[in-house]
Amino acid sequence: EGFELPTAGLVQRLRHVAKRTGRTVCDVHIGISGGLDSSESLLVTCAAYDYLGWPRDHVHAYMLTGYGTDDVTYQSAHRLCAGLGVPLTVIAIDDLADLVLQKLGHEPHRETRCLTCQNVQARLRTVVLMTGGFMIGTGDLSELAKNYCTYGGDDRGMYGTNAGVAKTLLKFLVGWIAEKGMFGPEVSAVLRDIGATPISAGRACTKHSARPM
């Protein structure tokens, strides 16, 4: 139920959008970090597209890298999208973040890791994704209920798949999907690695310098 309810809700929303726009298939945009929240959202989205009989290449995944992107989550995101057959585009937002900070008279985010630097990255990711079209929100119930998120950041989206799912349940669901092999052995292997990755608000172990693709 924890997986099927958000999937059914997204199916209904996508049907409505397709009908209103006169399209046979909708395109959606989703930010992928390689963590629990975005991984579960991507799985729900793929399940919704499979139910509708729509090709998964209409699900556009983006990894918007910044100073908090590390090699572990970077590789997990690539493996997950490859296993699901979802196109993944990597865009570095360092220059955009520094431009906004410069306008505020703030030092570049490469030189400090303060709250302002985290906020600007979260909002820029939303700007890029939401500008592209229908954005899938990835914020979970634990973040939203506790206000443990950047307002105007990952709490935004045209449809939030995890809005009614707590973080602890997300971890269980990802493990359950891996155990059931719902998306094949390759995806299950990635999901086990994602589930084993420590949960943190800002993982910044090894910086990964990504070039826009």
Side-chain angles (χ1 to χ4, degrees), residues 11-206:
V11 165
Q12 289 296 96
R13 176 58 63 87
L14 292 172
R15 279 175 170 167
H16 174 74
V17 173
K19 182 178 179 180
R20 289 291 300 270
T21 58
R23 305 179 69 180
T24 56
V25 180
C26 293
D27 288 79
V28 296
H29 300 254
I30 181 171
I32 301 299
S33 68
L36 280 173
D37 292 354
S38 61
S39 296
E40 172 70 6
S41 291
L42 181 59
L43 294 171
V44 167
T45 304
C46 286
Y49 269 67
D50 291 349
Y51 182 87
L52 290 165
W54 293 356
R56 292 184 189 174
D57 56 7
H58 286 270
V59 178
H60 304 281
Y62 292 86
M63 191 171 200
L64 306 171
T65 60
Y67 73 79
T69 304
D70 61 56
D71 285 328
V72 173
T73 53
Y74 183 87
Q75 296 300 331
S76 293
H78 277 266
R79 290 168 58 204
L80 180 61
C81 289
L84 292 170
V86 171
L88 175 63
T89 301
V90 180
I91 301 176
I93 61 169
D94 300 73
D95 293 341
L96 285 173
D98 283 341
L99 178 61
V100 174
L101 293 173
Q102 180 184 357
K103 295 294 184 181
L104 294 174
H106 195 283
E107 61 266 30
H109 78 284
R110 297 179 182 85
E111 299 176 11
T112 181
R113 296 182 179 181
C114 65
L115 185 59
T116 301
C117 296
Q118 292 189 33
N119 286 341
V120 71
Q121 289 185 104
R123 289 196 171 91
L124 283 173
R125 290 184 174 110
T126 303
V127 167
V128 173
L129 292 169
M130 196 170 283
T131 301
F134 191 105
M135 174 184 169
I136 301 294
T138 61
D140 64 58
L141 176 62
S142 299
E143 295 173 341
L144 300 172
K146 296 178 180 178
N147 290 327
Y148 193 62
C149 59
T150 300
Y151 184 79
D154 57 9
D155 59 314
R156 288 292 183 260
M158 282 66 175
Y159 189 90
T161 61
N162 301 332
V165 187
K167 178 76 76 174
T168 49
L169 180 55
L170 277 174
K171 188 176 181 68
F172 170 81
L173 285 173
V174 167
W176 176 78
I177 293 168
E179 181 182 346
K180 293 292 182 180
M182 293 175 61
F183 295 91
E186 183 179 350
V187 171
S188 290
V190 183
L191 294 180
R192 292 189 186 97
D193 290 341
I194 291 173
T197 302
I199 298 173
S200 173
R203 302 190 72 244
C205 304
T206 305

